[in-house]
Amino acid sequence: MPFTDREERRDIYEVIGIAGLGLIGGSMAKAIKEQTGSRVLGFDKNEAVLQSALLEGSIDGVLSKDNISSCRLILIALYPRACVDFVTEHRELIRKDAMVIDLCGVKTAVIKPLIPVVEASDFEYIGGHPMAGTEKTGYFNSRGDLFKRASMILVPVKNSEESLERAESFFMSLGFGETVRTDMEAHDRIIAFTSQLAHVVSNAYVKSPTARLHYGYSAGSYRDLTRVAWLNEKMWAELFVDNKEALSDEIDRLIEDLREYSSLIREGRQEELRALLKEGRLQKEMIDRREEL
């Protein structure tokens, strides 16, 4: 159960380091400062971001090699390969009783290379993925309520039950609605469908020449389907390639389904098309009912 008293929460992780102050890292910093009594040390390679975070009070100081050993919790909000590099480069400076949690959107590409690093060290490590975000990225779009009622996915890596429950209580104290434990393979397979495929489809959808003529003709459907076409191509390209097998399978499956829709529409086979559309509607209704349970 999450702690409810501010002073109790302070004892979860007294000093927290955050590497990367983009949308996720910046929002984590703001949520921690708003909801806990923890001291936050942050790092970002963008000096303007770092100075803004200090001026706004999102962080209490700059995370560095000189003070990383003071952190009981270190959150890594960097691109996957940069995350692996950061933990590897700082492994000898991280205190023995610290917990390191990455916040990357893929897990296998991060956890596999970090397992030998963690095994050779004394600190604990959990793979993490906050299921929250917006189409706009960067620190200047971060906010303290970004994670309100969101799901926090955790991938244990030989952790004690006490450590996992401690991490879960921490994230719940920030406003998350639930925590989910899984393994790295299941995470990447499902996230390929729930997140990555949606970004690919949205990004491809707006490439139609008709998109440039849509003004005055669009409503909610267009906005909903194109919202995440506005993405950070550097980050998402890395995430896609790091999860290439699962994502490619989802794309290929969707292409096959779309070909079936296209054939029935082109040939004017309304009865079969109605059956196909009904199948999709019933599938959506079943999924929504399960989510409401």
Side-chain angles (χ1 to χ4, degrees):
M1 297 293 292
F3 294 117
T4 56
D5 181 79
R6 190 177 180 85
E7 289 303 313
E8 287 184 304
R9 289 202 301 260
R10 183 191 297 262
D11 293 333
I12 296 182
Y13 304 108
E14 186 174 352
V15 181
I16 298 173
I18 303 178
L21 296 174
L23 177 67
I24 297 300
S27 295
M28 277 287 176
K30 291 176 181 179
I32 293 168
K33 294 306 296 181
E34 291 173 9
Q35 301 297 331
T36 80
S38 299
R39 176 175 167 79
V40 178
L41 302 176
F43 166 78
D44 195 277
K45 64 181 181 180
N46 187 321
E47 186 64 26
V49 165
L50 203 55
Q51 292 306 314
S52 293
L54 286 166
L55 288 172
E56 294 174 4
S58 301
I59 60 175
D60 299 294
V62 177
L63 180 67
S64 68
K65 291 184 177 181
D66 294 330
N67 60 23
I68 195 171
S69 61
S70 68
C71 299
R72 289 294 305 276
L73 171 66
I74 301 172
L75 301 174
I76 315 295
L78 301 170
Y79 293 179
R81 293 163 205 175
C83 171
V84 173
D85 290 343
F86 183 91
V87 177
T88 302
E89 291 170 7
H90 293 83
R91 59 184 174 181
E92 295 182 0
L93 301 175
I94 299 173
R95 58 191 291 168
K96 298 181 185 300
D97 59 351
M99 171 65 75
V100 175
I101 302 178
D102 84 81
L103 304 177
C104 298
V106 290
K107 296 272 70 78
T108 304
V110 175
I111 292 175
K112 273 193 172 181
L114 280 183
I115 286 177
V117 175
V118 174
E119 288 179 343
S121 307
D122 293 316
F123 59 85
E124 284 199 78
Y125 164 65
I126 299 174
H129 187 184
M131 297 306 299
T134 70
E135 66 275 18
K136 296 183 180 180
T137 61
Y139 174 81
F140 298 104
N141 290 302
S142 65
R143 61 178 199 266
D145 65 349
L146 182 68
F147 309 112
K148 189 174 182 180
R149 294 189 294 274
S151 174
M152 180 65 198
I153 300 176
L154 297 176
V155 180
V157 182
K158 298 181 180 179
N159 308 106
S160 67
E161 183 62 26
E162 180 183 359
S163 293
L164 288 169
E165 290 180 357
R166 186 181 180 91
E168 288 171 335
S169 292
F170 166 73
F171 287 115
M172 293 297 286
S173 77
L174 301 186
F176 282 89
E178 64 177 345
T179 59
V180 177
R181 298 185 193 181
T182 188
D183 59 67
M184 58 186 174
E185 292 86 1
H187 170 277
D188 289 353
R189 184 176 65 252
I190 297 172
I191 217 69
F193 172 75
T194 62
S195 176
Q196 295 181 340
L197 181 64
H199 284 78
V200 170
V201 171
S202 182
N203 196 263
Y205 178 74
V206 296
K207 291 180 180 177
S208 167
T210 313
R212 302 174 187 178
L213 308 173
H214 83 277
Y215 303 103
Y217 293 82
S218 61
S221 298
Y222 175 83
R223 288 192 294 271
D224 289 345
L225 190 52
T226 61
R227 181 179 66 81
V228 293
W230 191 349
L231 48 69
N232 177 341
E233 62 273 11
K234 181 179 179 182
M235 179 185 75
W236 283 102
E238 184 172 332
L239 292 173
F240 292 163
V241 171
D242 282 342
N243 200 24
K244 59 185 177 183
E245 296 300 332
L247 180 55
S248 295
D249 287 346
E250 291 294 343
I251 293 172
D252 292 345
R253 169 62 190 270
L254 178 61
I255 290 172
E256 290 179 11
D257 288 340
L258 288 174
R259 283 200 182 102
E260 185 176 7
Y261 282 86
S262 179
S263 295
L264 294 178
I265 293 169
R266 190 177 298 277
E267 296 167 14
R269 295 152 62 184
Q270 278 196 54
E271 186 173 342
E272 293 169 80
L273 180 60
R274 281 196 298 269
L276 193 63
L277 293 170
K278 181 178 180 180
E279 180 185 351
R281 174 176 61 80
L282 292 176
Q283 176 79 348
K284 173 61 175 170
E285 289 178 0
M286 180 191 70
I287 293 169
D288 286 353
R289 283 196 298 270
R290 289 178 60 184
E291 288 183 345
E292 292 170 359
L293 295 178

